[in-house]
Amino acid sequence: MFDAAVIGGGPAGITAAMYLVRSGCSVILFESLTMGGQILTTDSLENYPGMPRGIKGWELADLFAAHLDGLSLERKTSAVLGIEGSAGAFSLRTSDGEVQARSVVICSGASHRPLGVDGEARLRGRGVSYCAICDGNFFRGRPVAVVGGGNSALEEALYLSKIVSHLYLIHRRDQFRGAEIYQKRVLETPNIEPVLSATVEELHGASDLESITVRDLKTGTLRNLTVDGLFIFVGMQANTDFVPAGVQMERGFIVTDTEMRTSVPGIFAAGDVRAKLCRQVVTAAGDGATAAQAAFLFLEELNAK
């Protein structure tokens, strides 16, 4: 049995695993995809402390992962499908079998929320994308649209503007919500055309995306935009399909106290999977460190009984 099972290999999970191992705990770390989490879908980070000139997402992900090199922990690429048991005796059902752990730290992050419009699911991977870094190059020199008005949408639009011929930036409000510095850059970029107070109503294309229908929310008029790609950044939803029913949730995210403790003793949560205000790399790492320390103290209390 492991002292702690850490679920997720992004900044929160990597930090939690590192702190727990350095505290002398036996740790198993689950990451079903690639170490680094959402950092890998980010072109560059300009607000991570210690990197005043910015850093590429994949570079920071590699540095995070490298911090685990040489540490005594077990890494698994299997997916966690469910958690049963109670404090000090949890059983994790995974795609490779059962794993026992005395405590669990959930750092499974969040995924991009779909628009939920006609044609979206059918054309996913055929023009519809949720990752500009992953798919932007497929649309080099072609027209695309980006949906969203927060930092993610503005950052990804700026990245894509260097690749595509023309970019429609669609947002349902009359002004963007992202940081002023990103808004200024967007408005100064010649091939970005803001489409404000508008929503995407429908996607068109037999086998690949060909165009989208946009509704003007002030006039109700419909407009057809010819685009080869649609990049969607309208919020996140937590990856919590495996989380036991007893864990308190808020709008799909895990509720914790300031020490990352959930409503179930022995289960902790850190990073973007938590219900919180700010979801950034730096806050995820801080969450991971706090969760590890809280889990360590929990294990110490178990040992003292």
Side-chain angles (χ1 to χ4, degrees):
M1 178 179 288
F2 291 93
D3 289 325
V6 178
I7 304 171
I14 290 173
T15 305
M18 176 179 66
Y19 271 67
L20 284 162
V21 171
R22 290 171 65 89
S23 296
C25 299
S26 59
V27 178
I28 183 168
L29 173 62
F30 294 93
E31 174 51 65
S32 59
L33 298 174
T34 304
M35 297 292 283
Q38 288 186 58
I39 307 178
L40 293 168
T41 66
T42 303
D43 177 42
S44 63
L45 289 86
E46 298 181 354
N47 57 358
Y48 192 75
M51 304 291 178
R53 294 178 180 82
I55 184 171
K56 293 294 183 183
W58 65 267
E59 291 180 306
L60 186 58
D62 283 352
L63 290 172
F64 266 97
H67 218 127
L68 295 180
D69 292 346
L71 295 183
S72 178
L73 79 159
E74 186 168 336
R75 303 190 202 184
K76 285 284 189 180
T77 56
S78 50
V80 176
L81 306 176
I83 302 172
E84 298 177 350
S86 58
F90 292 103
S91 179
L92 284 72
R93 181 168 50 87
T94 81
S95 54
D96 287 333
E98 299 282 334
V99 172
Q100 311 300 316
R102 302 172 70 208
S103 65
V104 178
V105 184
I106 300 172
C107 309
S108 49
S111 303
H112 289 285
R113 187 183 303 278
L115 278 178
V117 299
D118 287 345
E120 180 180 3
R122 178 173 58 84
L123 293 170
R124 183 167 185 166
R126 296 177 177 274
V128 174
S129 174
Y130 306 85
C131 177
I133 301 302
C134 311
D135 301 324
N137 200 51
F138 294 121
F139 302 93
R140 185 171 295 276
R142 298 156 67 184
V144 303
V146 169
V147 185
N151 282 340
S152 294
L154 302 189
E155 289 173 14
E156 302 292 7
L158 289 167
Y159 168 77
L160 285 166
S161 69
K162 303 170 186 175
I163 299 173
V164 304
S165 60
H166 190 78
L167 187 148
Y168 299 99
L169 183 52
I170 304 164
H171 184 44
R172 59 190 175 87
R173 299 181 181 178
D174 58 5
Q175 63 181 27
F176 298 119
R177 297 181 294 106
E180 287 293 333
I181 188 170
Y182 294 134
Q183 293 193 42
K184 184 173 184 292
R185 290 179 187 175
V186 161
L187 296 175
E188 292 174 347
T189 302
N191 65 336
I192 295 181
E193 178 182 338
V195 182
L196 298 173
S197 300
T199 57
V200 176
E201 296 293 302
E202 190 175 356
L203 281 57
H204 310 283
S207 57
D208 296 296
L209 181 67
E210 297 174 1
S211 67
I212 61 176
T213 297
V214 175
R215 181 183 298 276
D216 187 306
L217 295 177
K218 293 183 177 179
T219 66
T221 57
L222 298 176
R223 178 185 177 190
N224 193 67
L225 304 178
T226 300
V227 294
D228 293 333
L230 178 66
F231 293 83
I232 300 169
F233 305 101
V234 291
M236 308 296 291
Q237 53 190 16
N239 300 321
T240 56
D241 289 348
F242 61 89
V243 175
V247 174
Q248 183 183 352
M249 312 281 275
E250 181 180 289
R251 296 189 303 275
F253 291 83
I254 298 175
V255 174
T256 73
D257 62 12
T258 57
E259 307 305 321
M260 309 301 136
R261 293 181 290 242
T262 72
S263 56
V264 175
I267 297 182
F268 307 83
D272 287 2
V273 75
R274 286 181 59 225
K276 61 177 185 174
L277 176 64
C278 185
R279 291 186 173 87
Q280 296 284 303
V281 176
V282 66
T283 61
D287 284 358
T290 301
Q293 182 63 16
F296 174 73
L297 293 175
F298 166 78
L299 293 167
E300 288 287 277
E301 291 174 3
L302 285 182
N303 293 336
K305 292 181 179 178

